Amino acid sequence: MNRFKLSVIASLAFLFSCDAPQATQTAEASRDAVVFSIRQVPEGDSCRTVFPVTYPADVRPHEIAFPFEAVDNPWGRDRTLSIPFPPDHTHEIVRSADGTVSTIAGTTANGCAPRTWDFDASGCVSGNCPPIRFVESDQMGTITMRRTGG
């Protein structure tokens, strides 16, 4: 086989082995809380950080402050999330048989270097907010999480 064919095969194998930041990478389901997680998704020579969120299908409308902040690079603190997410939300919305809804709360391209993020569960902005929880993931890569606030 010539080098061109080998490079094409290797490139295709690499592409199909990468995880895309889809809602199928959900946080652990809960019937009474909004559950967040954080994932580091490889993209070529870099990584994208995604924030899966899962909430009960019958959650009352509310707004919460985006609960993540990069310690070494302030990001996202002025953002709020309206839950439930609207049908035109940026990422796929998955409705599960267990009565929960999952999607990605946001993404950021920040490389694969070790990073520390704060998670603040005390950010109810409006409405009757259910508890907010963070769930560790084996897909966190080089991310370290610190819990602050509520």
Side-chain angles (χ1 to χ4, degrees):
M1 213 180 271
N2 68 30
R3 288 181 194 222
F4 176 74
K5 287 181 184 177
L6 284 175
S7 65
V8 169
I9 291 170
S11 296
L12 289 174
F14 176 77
L15 286 174
F16 288 115
S17 69
C18 292
D19 291 329
Q22 298 175 359
T24 54
Q25 298 174 327
T26 58
E28 178 182 305
S30 173
R31 304 279 301 152
D32 62 350
V34 176
V35 180
F36 287 89
S37 190
I38 192 168
R39 311 268 198 269
Q40 212 171 43
V41 180
E43 284 189 345
D45 293 337
S46 189
C47 289
R48 179 168 295 280
T49 302
V50 298
F51 307 89
V53 59
T54 299
Y55 54 87
D58 59 354
V59 69
R60 291 185 181 164
H62 64 281
E63 265 191 329
I64 58 175
F66 189 73
F68 293 96
E69 180 176 4
V71 172
D72 53 351
N73 181 16
W75 181 90
R77 232 27 209 153
D78 59 347
R79 294 181 54 202
T80 59
L81 298 174
S82 295
I83 294 178
F85 287 116
D88 64 347
H89 179 66
T90 308
H91 301 281
E92 177 187 12
I93 295 175
V94 176
R95 298 180 189 287
S96 301
D98 66 1
T100 57
V101 178
S102 300
T103 190
I104 300 294
T107 65
T108 180
N110 65 359
C112 302
R115 303 237 183 226
T116 301
W117 289 73
D118 284 339
F119 177 77
D120 183 353
S122 64
C124 187
V125 175
S126 68
N128 187 10
C129 298
I132 300 170
R133 227 172 13 133
F134 175 77
V135 175
E136 297 277 336
S137 165
D138 60 355
Q139 297 173 330
M140 287 173 57
T142 62
I143 295 171
T144 302
M145 187 60 56
R146 299 186 320 189
R147 290 182 171 93
T148 63

